[in-house]
Amino acid sequence: MALKPFAFCTASVLALGLAGMAQAQDAGSGQGAADNAASDDSSQPTAEDIIVTGVRASIVGALNVRKENIQIVDSVVAEDVGKLPDNNVVEALQRVTGIQITDRAGGEAGTVTIRGLPDAVTTMNGRNIFTSTGQSFALQDISANLVKQVDVYKTRSADQLETGLAGQIDVKTRRPFDFDGLAVSGLVRGIYNEVSDSFNPNVALLVSDRWETPIGEIGLLVNGSYSQTKYRNETVTAGALVPFATENPTEGSGLSPLERIFSGWTPGLNEGLPTTPGSTINYNGVEVPYYLSRDAVFSTDQYGKRKRPSFNAALQWAPNSSSVYTAEVFYTGYRSSLYSDMMFSYVDYWSNPGAFELYPDTNIIKSRTTDDVYGFNSGDYTRSKTDSYVYALNGQWDLGDRGKITGDLAYQTSTAKTSFIAMRTDRTADQISVDFNSGGGVPSYHFDDDSLLTDPSAWNVAQLYDNANKDKGSAVTASLDGYYTWDEGFIRRIKAGLRYDDRKASSYVRTADAASLGTSLTTLPEAAYFTNSGFMSGEADVPRSWVTVDGAWLYNNADYVRSLYGLPTSESLVLNKTFDIDEITMSAYLLADGQVSVFGRPLDIEGGVRYVNVATDYNFFDRYNDYARSRANSGSAKFLPSFTARYAITDRLRLRFNYGETLRRPNFSDVNPTYSLTGDLTSVGYGSGTAGNAGLKPTHSKNYDVALEWYFDRDSAITVTAFRREIDGLVVSLPVMTYIPGNGIVAGATDYFVVTKPVNASDGVLKGVEVGLTYFPHYLPGPLDGLGFQGSLTVLDSSQTIPVTDSAGTITGYSRSAFFDVSKLSYNATLAYDRGPFNARLSYIWRKGFLHNNESSLFANPIGIWYKSEESLDFQLTWNVTKAIGVTFDATNLTKSKQQSYYKFADAGGSTTDNLGTTLLARTFAIGARFTFQ
């Protein structure tokens, strides 16, 4: 693991920084008033200020955003137009203090959490934006080339949106009045993905200009971007734990040696069945010792392709010196095709169990050989498309030099469409030999006839799954804000505003399953076969190749395949509506800024309250009851106070305090009570499913932050922030055994399902400390001049109540659990170099293992799925050939880290017996060129 050497490197840089702080302070005291001016709130440069560019300008720009804002806000600032040094907004955020990134498969980072919470409200130029029926926007869809700055607000004032317990992520795009005149900027990059062995383009172009006209000054900007990614995800997984009789079953039990035990035990226990040797299950009235073994092992080989076109255009008009009007449009698109090629084999007892080995001092089977095992291959193909538009008009009118009124009107629409088709092929193999953890949490397995895995004649055509869905969302939003300021007295500013938002969302679905045909795969055309190669080569001792149905062929010949199964063809396929929602939110706020002198130093105070009223109308359509319609409505109103104080202890040392209250509204999918069901595919006697809950209420949080910030030089600072979130009404999932007859399930037909529903049944506390350091020493000699460091450390502790239920879904007690996706410890460290024509960053990111999710309550293992500690080492280099042209080189995941999951925390002993999945993460290399003329 690369942690230790890089930690040593980081420690060396910290030592360098601490050794130089005294020198920096001595130099600063000699500069007198000029240096003091650089440390106060004024953004005006002085004669002593150093003008910086490149990577240093980006880091220092972010530092100044925090310094000058009364709220606690951390930022990513583009070095220059078109020079945010990452592929998308999510990747750009991973070096921000308190940000944690997870779900890195697919060649990119997927999920952002702020201090462990995943529900940040996403805004663009201050406007709330979303994707289809979600409450937030898919930030990875925003190309970094479109972005001027990204602000992460850890605290909130009354004039900001009330939603998002985690905070607010505001993406700022460029406008024509940002430039003095004509500006043209562009980039071309080629990105090599090592796992998929593919080269991927990333291009962007920005053109902006402004003109003096008889009706005032006019500016126009057009900015476009296109990126494409081909990726491959390779995953090998050991299945869930189930109990088996020992080789000598208790007399009277009726069990055969090593026979799977289907009853007499309760699936889905939070901690799983006991794993101590000799543990028993009461089966047929007698105590039966059992072994725990994985019921299956499987390999998943995914081939994906993403395309992201996006653009924004802005037209600005300043008819005079006191007013500016802006019209803008933003579009982002997402196109995805994903072929998932899975080989799944049970390792169950069918007729002739063979040799096995236990982990020492447990009743858990480590390895076994089993005869006559059933398995299937599945060729799954998913095609997705998303189009999101934001149209906006904005007007700003100065009230002399004392105040301003801002009016904003926006309309946005977002539509996401997905189609999925999958065909299984199956067979019964003579024998499989499995080691469920052959080392490092990775299983190994082989069949006695591995050579038949690529023989189409050895496989039968099995089940077909064919479904599609469409989600649509739209919103009309209007806001009016104004403020007025004073130079003297306690009250320095009064600000007030109104906001109206009408949000609509609807969802449509179709689904069709069909039973096995039982014919040989060779009855399909030869073009229907796909045989992969090189799977997990050098990473796992598993079969490298197998044959299945080609996903692209399946998608392109869907009607032919449907006709084989007797299913309706595309002419008669209809998407049926499952829900639509109309939610109207009205809010108003009032806040005041004041300043008072305490011990001769300024104390800035901001206090306010936001009132929010939400009224929601729902229409639901039951897909398992001929789409019968039902209606519901809900409403809520709340006052949300906020208070912030910032005290300048010295010109360089500041203390901040913030208290605020925020809300998390339920996702629209979480309030939709219609069922989504999966049959009994694992032979446990019942299927699984999900459904929403129309009675969900918003989650409410009380937030406390205290920060101490030392700006010990013009471009250097240490910040320490302690925070606490007291959260009421957390949404958790409760499983309920539900009888749903006549459901039309074909594969794994059953009338009983464990249906998981979200409920407001938990309270929790999240607390922690985050430390940030930015340091550019001014005393380094020669070539080292220009070296700097940026890093942060976040320590989190979380606890929430988790209801314990019986099979009917009745809450019988409570347990305690950490929040999902919260690492107790994470840090990032960046060495930055900015000298002459060269800019470089070497960034290391690490986070401790964390609880990722709870799986369905179907098995004998713990339901919690943990991710192992994660790391990433990235490098970025820019060579500025001229002032206007630069050549770039980037590399990500240089340590070739993997994503691994476990049923128990791997770093606390679960890595031996509780491994689950291992996914290879791609290492990428990119080379490109960018230019800017202005």
Side-chain angles (χ1 to χ4, degrees):
M1 184 177 178
L3 174 59
K4 290 183 179 179
F6 199 82
F8 176 78
C9 175
T10 301
S12 299
V13 175
L14 286 170
L16 172 72
L18 293 173
M21 286 179 190
Q23 296 185 38
Q25 285 295 281
D26 291 341
S29 62
Q31 293 174 8
D35 199 47
N36 290 337
S39 301
D40 65 19
D41 284 342
S42 174
S43 60
Q44 299 299 317
T46 72
E48 298 293 332
D49 282 330
I50 299 175
I51 305 300
V52 295
T53 59
V55 64
R56 183 172 176 179
S58 174
I59 294 174
V60 175
L63 184 66
N64 287 335
V65 170
R66 174 163 180 146
K67 178 181 177 182
E68 294 165 8
N69 201 300
I70 193 169
Q71 300 296 317
I72 298 176
V73 54
D74 290 305
S75 302
V76 178
V77 178
E79 302 170 24
D80 200 347
V81 55
K83 293 185 180 179
L84 197 70
D86 295 276
N87 293 320
N88 61 52
V89 170
V90 173
E91 293 180 9
L93 288 172
Q94 63 185 335
R95 287 179 291 275
V96 172
T97 303
I99 294 285
Q100 296 176 336
I101 303 295
T102 188
D103 299 323
R104 294 178 179 270
E108 67 178 10
T111 303
V112 177
T113 63
I114 302 176
R115 297 170 171 175
L117 294 174
D119 67 327
V121 60
T122 50
T123 58
M124 178 171 287
N125 299 322
R127 304 182 187 100
N128 187 208
I129 54 174
F130 54 82
T131 300
S132 66
T133 58
Q135 294 285 15
S136 61
F137 194 81
L139 291 171
Q140 59 268 39
D141 288 351
I142 302 178
S143 169
N145 308 314
L146 303 182
V147 176
K148 172 184 178 182
Q149 180 176 318
V150 184
D151 293 329
V152 180
Y153 288 89
K154 313 289 185 63
T155 61
R156 225 82 61 84
S157 63
D159 60 343
Q160 294 175 280
L161 294 177
E162 66 279 351
T163 55
L165 307 187
Q168 177 181 347
I169 299 175
D170 184 42
V171 179
K172 290 182 169 63
T173 60
R174 295 190 180 272
R175 291 169 172 169
F177 285 179
D178 292 341
F179 306 99
D180 293 332
L182 177 65
V184 180
S185 175
L187 68 83
V188 178
R189 300 175 76 212
I191 305 171
Y192 175 70
N193 186 301
E194 194 174 53
V195 173
S196 64
D197 191 24
S198 64
F199 289 91
N200 303 285
N202 181 0
V203 296
L205 180 66
L206 176 147
V207 180
S208 178
D209 204 355
R210 56 196 294 179
W211 307 270
E212 291 288 349
T213 74
I215 60 172
E217 190 169 15
I218 293 177
L220 177 64
L221 177 148
V222 178
N223 191 0
S225 175
Y226 174 83
S227 64
Q228 175 182 292
T229 303
K230 291 182 179 179
Y231 62 92
R232 183 181 183 185
N233 292 334
E234 299 171 72
T235 304
V236 61
T237 306
L241 286 169
V242 292
F244 291 77
T246 62
E247 65 268 44
N248 297 303
T250 304
E251 184 176 350
S253 67
L255 292 168
S256 301
L258 298 182
E259 180 180 356
R260 180 172 172 177
I261 304 174
F262 286 95
S263 61
W265 58 282
T266 302
L269 299 173
N270 285 348
E271 300 301 324
L273 287 177
T275 61
T276 54
S279 298
T280 61
I281 289 172
N282 191 295
Y283 185 81
N284 284 339
V286 297
E287 293 297 323
V288 179
Y290 62 86
Y291 293 137
L292 289 170
S293 177
R294 308 303 179 101
D295 67 335
V297 65
F298 52 98
S299 298
T300 306
D301 199 1
Q302 295 183 325
Y303 300 82
K305 183 178 181 180
R306 286 187 299 265
K307 299 178 181 179
R308 288 192 170 104
S310 57
F311 74 83
N312 72 297
L315 176 67
Q316 288 188 289
W317 173 42
N320 51 54
S321 61
S322 61
S323 59
V324 176
Y325 301 90
T326 303
E328 53 194 338
V329 58
F330 172 79
Y331 164 78
T332 182
Y334 175 77
R335 309 287 185 266
S336 171
S337 60
L338 176 63
Y339 171 53
S340 184
D341 178 9
M342 181 173 69
M343 180 171 63
F344 182 102
S345 178
Y346 285 102
V347 196
D348 266 349
Y349 164 83
W350 295 101
S351 64
N352 186 20
F356 66 92
E357 174 193 5
L358 296 173
Y359 290 105
D361 302 318
T362 74
N363 63 358
I364 303 175
I365 291 178
K366 179 183 189 298
S367 63
R368 66 185 304 184
T369 298
T370 307
D371 294 344
D372 303 323
V373 290
Y374 173 78
F376 63 85
N377 293 350
S378 184
D380 306 355
Y381 190 82
T382 306
R383 183 73 66 89
S384 302
K385 176 183 179 181
T386 301
D387 293 293
S388 301
Y389 297 86
V390 181
Y391 309 90
L393 294 172
N394 180 277
Q396 297 184 16
W397 303 273
D398 291 340
L399 302 176
D401 58 357
R402 291 292 186 182
K404 180 178 291 187
I405 295 176
T406 301
D408 197 89
L409 178 65
Y411 171 73
Q412 58 182 308
T413 178
S414 180
T415 302
K417 299 178 180 179
T418 301
S419 59
F420 171 86
I421 188 167
M423 179 186 285
R424 288 185 173 181
T425 54
D426 62 6
R427 71 168 192 147
T428 299
D430 290 339
Q431 188 179 84
I432 188 173
S433 298
V434 181
D435 186 337
F436 295 109
N437 187 352
S438 63
V442 183
S444 68
Y445 69 94
H446 287 280
F447 300 92
D448 66 336
D449 56 1
D450 273 359
S451 60
L452 294 181
L453 295 177
T454 58
D455 182 0
S457 65
W459 297 90
N460 300 313
V461 178
Q463 298 86 5
L464 181 75
Y465 303 89
D466 181 19
N467 57 69
N469 63 275
K470 179 174 70 173
D471 294 327
K472 296 172 58 179
S474 65
V476 175
T477 308
S479 63
L480 183 66
D481 300 80
Y483 69 85
Y484 198 80
T485 62
W486 294 266
D487 290 335
E488 298 179 353
F490 172 66
I491 300 295
R492 298 298 177 92
R493 185 180 69 149
I494 295 289
K495 187 177 182 182
L498 302 169
R499 182 176 183 269
Y500 171 87
D501 180 76
D502 185 357
R503 175 80 191 277
K504 292 179 170 61
S506 56
S507 184
Y508 304 78
V509 68
R510 67 165 178 84
T511 183
D513 299 341
S516 174
L517 292 181
T519 59
S520 171
L521 179 58
T522 56
T523 61
L524 296 180
E526 188 174 345
Y529 312 154
F530 175 80
T531 302
N532 63 339
S533 62
F535 177 79
M536 295 291 273
S537 181
E539 301 290 346
D541 181 20
V542 295
R544 304 288 178 225
S545 303
W546 58 90
V547 64
T548 190
V549 177
D550 182 84
W553 178 90
L554 190 62
Y555 181 85
N556 293 328
N557 296 273
D559 276 347
Y560 165 73
V561 174
R562 291 170 184 139
S563 65
L564 293 178
Y565 287 87
L567 293 174
T569 58
S570 56
E571 292 181 355
S572 55
L573 296 179
V574 177
L575 288 169
N576 294 288
K577 184 182 289 188
T578 58
F579 78 89
D580 63 47
I581 291 178
D582 187 0
E583 183 173 86
I584 295 177
T585 303
M586 292 183 289
S587 57
Y589 71 88
L590 177 67
L591 67 82
D593 291 316
Q595 188 179 86
V596 64
S597 177
V598 177
F599 302 116
R601 305 296 303 173
L603 171 64
D604 296 309
I605 298 173
E606 181 179 275
V609 63
R610 187 177 186 91
Y611 172 76
V612 56
N613 185 295
V614 182
T616 311
D617 292 322
Y618 312 89
N619 288 300
F620 306 112
F621 305 87
D622 187 351
R623 59 193 296 195
Y624 297 106
N625 186 23
D626 198 27
Y627 291 93
R629 178 182 179 181
S630 60
R631 296 182 176 180
N633 59 72
S634 65
S636 63
K638 200 161 188 70
F639 286 95
L640 301 171
S642 64
F643 174 80
T644 300
R646 180 181 63 180
Y647 181 57
I649 300 173
T650 70
D651 288 337
R652 299 176 180 273
L653 188 64
R654 295 185 180 182
L655 179 66
R656 301 178 194 254
F657 170 79
N658 176 271
Y659 171 80
E661 298 184 20
T662 50
L663 299 174
R664 174 194 293 165
R665 293 186 193 158
N667 291 319
F668 290 145
S669 59
D670 287 341
V671 298
N672 180 7
T674 56
Y675 294 116
S676 177
L677 303 177
T678 301
D680 180 14
L681 304 181
T682 52
S683 301
V684 296
Y686 43 84
S688 60
T690 59
N693 177 3
L696 282 181
K697 302 297 183 184
T699 301
H700 177 244
S701 179
K702 296 180 179 179
N703 313 314
Y704 305 85
D705 290 78
V706 177
L708 185 64
E709 303 164 356
W710 180 27
Y711 299 92
F712 57 87
D713 210 338
R714 289 180 296 268
D715 46 13
S716 303
I718 294 177
T719 62
V720 181
T721 307
F723 51 88
R724 180 182 176 89
R725 304 286 182 263
E726 298 175 356
I727 306 174
D728 177 45
L730 278 168
V731 175
V732 295
S733 298
L734 291 186
V736 180
M737 182 64 76
T738 308
Y739 177 59
I740 309 175
N743 49 68
I745 294 291
V746 175
T750 179
D751 291 336
Y752 289 91
F753 301 84
V754 175
V755 177
T756 302
K757 296 184 176 182
V759 295
N760 296 104
S762 178
D763 298 329
V765 173
L766 174 70
K767 56 187 177 182
V769 175
E770 57 187 24
V771 181
L773 169 63
T774 299
Y775 181 49
F776 281 91
H778 296 204
Y779 59 87
L780 296 178
L784 292 180
D785 186 22
L787 184 68
F789 175 81
Q790 181 188 37
S792 67
L793 174 75
T794 303
V795 180
L796 295 171
D797 181 61
S798 64
S799 178
Q800 62 178 329
T801 57
I802 300 294
V804 178
T805 64
D806 57 23
S807 60
T810 303
I811 297 176
T812 58
Y814 291 88
S815 63
R816 303 294 296 180
S817 168
F819 283 21
F820 296 128
D821 290 331
V822 172
S823 290
K824 289 188 175 181
L825 176 65
S826 64
Y827 72 84
N828 63 74
T830 297
L831 283 175
Y833 184 73
D834 191 343
R835 180 179 175 83
F838 295 102
N839 299 158
R841 296 186 198 217
L842 180 66
S843 301
Y844 182 77
I845 299 164
W846 183 87
R847 64 178 300 188
K848 191 177 180 66
F850 55 95
L851 178 63
H852 185 265
N853 64 283
N854 284 343
E855 71 171 5
S856 298
S857 304
L858 300 176
F859 306 105
N861 45 260
I863 62 174
I865 295 178
W866 291 78
Y867 274 24
K868 193 177 181 180
S869 299
E870 297 181 348
E871 64 173 355
S872 181
L873 179 64
D874 305 330
F875 177 71
Q876 299 165 329
L877 174 66
T878 299
W879 172 34
N880 296 307
V881 182
T882 69
K883 184 178 180 181
I885 299 174
V887 177
T888 64
F889 172 78
D890 305 86
T892 66
N893 192 26
L894 290 172
T895 57
K896 297 184 70 172
S897 65
K898 304 179 182 69
Q899 181 173 285
Q900 292 188 288
S901 57
Y902 294 80
Y903 282 121
K904 287 184 180 178
F905 186 24
D907 294 349
S911 59
T912 301
T913 59
D914 295 275
N915 58 300
L916 183 58
T918 296
T919 300
L920 303 186
L921 300 180
R923 183 165 59 178
T924 67
F925 302 93
I927 189 167
R930 60 192 185 195
F931 63 87
T932 302
F933 300 98
Q934 56 179 320

